[in-house]
Amino acid sequence: MARFSPVIARHVPEGFDLWPVSGGGDTWLRLDGTAGPDDVGTALCTLYLHSGGGEARTAADAVHELIGFDTLFGSGGLLLEGGDGVRVEPRGGELFEWRDWVNALHRAPVDLGRPPAPWVEYVGDVIRVWADRGRDVPHVDLSRGALPAMLRAAQRDLADFLGPLRRWAGVHSPRQVELLVACVDAGLQITEPLPL
């Protein structure tokens, strides 16, 4: 069965030392309740640097700066995994745009990143998601009726990520825990109700 996983592209420059970060061979870091402290550190490093940060000397200063950003940028979105092993990866899109998948319910365009990027085709009540440009590449077929439950599951994963985020902030910036959680929640539109 196909499923969405909210992911962010790892971006940790060599020499980053404000807090511990995770390694890992996969480009994508899944954002859910299973994220360890170093995974949270990697996600926050990515959001901090992509959103315009870089001058802070301490973790608390970086968190304070991140909380002040108008928009949180970080390459990512929803990774679609088909039941047959096909993966459709977001390409060059921003994580906060994960909600654009709601457009597929109305047969409207879904922005899955900069070309060459995956694309969506509507075939009756089937949402066909091609892994790349062209028709000679793998694809995943989704039922329009299954999409709301898939999006709610992705939203639950993101909401579950706020738990590890809260614990991370309690260690690295204890005076700003709730502000950081609220900032990430609002910036990625996590708990705002989905228009389904």
Side-chain angles (χ1 to χ4, degrees):
M1 182 171 173
R3 74 178 305 263
F4 285 129
S5 295
V7 294
I8 190 167
R10 298 172 189 269
H11 175 73
V12 179
E14 193 172 329
F16 180 84
D17 61 359
L18 292 178
W19 53 73
V21 293
S22 62
D26 194 358
T27 300
W28 301 111
L29 177 64
R30 293 175 193 267
L31 302 180
D32 59 25
T34 67
D38 292 356
D39 293 331
V40 175
T42 298
L44 288 177
C45 173
T46 301
L47 291 172
Y48 173 64
L49 295 177
H50 277 219
S51 301
E55 301 299 319
R57 299 282 182 248
T58 68
D61 287 346
V63 168
H64 181 74
E65 192 177 350
L66 190 143
I67 289 168
F69 292 141
D70 290 333
T71 305
L72 294 184
F73 292 101
S75 183
L78 295 182
L79 172 69
L80 173 60
E81 295 173 290
D84 54 1
V86 175
R87 281 173 42 134
V88 179
E89 302 179 2
R91 298 227 187 113
E94 294 294 335
L95 176 56
F96 69 80
E97 296 173 327
W98 68 273
R99 289 170 164 260
D100 284 0
W101 274 101
V102 171
N103 293 343
L105 289 172
H106 311 290
R107 301 175 65 91
V110 180
D111 183 4
L112 300 181
R114 294 185 294 274
W119 59 288
V120 174
E121 176 183 23
Y122 300 106
V123 183
D125 278 339
V126 171
I127 301 166
R128 180 162 291 161
V129 187
W130 295 88
D132 207 336
R133 284 288 165 208
R135 294 181 185 272
D136 57 345
V137 296
H139 67 272
V140 176
D141 284 344
L142 307 174
S143 159
R144 269 181 66 211
L147 189 60
M150 292 174 63
L151 288 170
R152 286 188 188 102
Q155 184 178 35
R156 276 192 303 276
D157 284 346
L158 282 166
D160 289 347
F161 175 74
L162 297 177
L165 174 65
R166 182 174 275 109
R167 291 189 291 277
W168 182 95
V171 172
H172 296 283
S173 189
R175 294 184 177 179
Q176 303 177 96
V177 173
E178 296 309 318
L179 284 173
L180 177 61
V181 172
C183 166
V184 172
D185 184 3
L188 302 182
Q189 300 178 61
I190 294 174
T191 58
E192 180 183 328
L194 282 164
L196 299 174

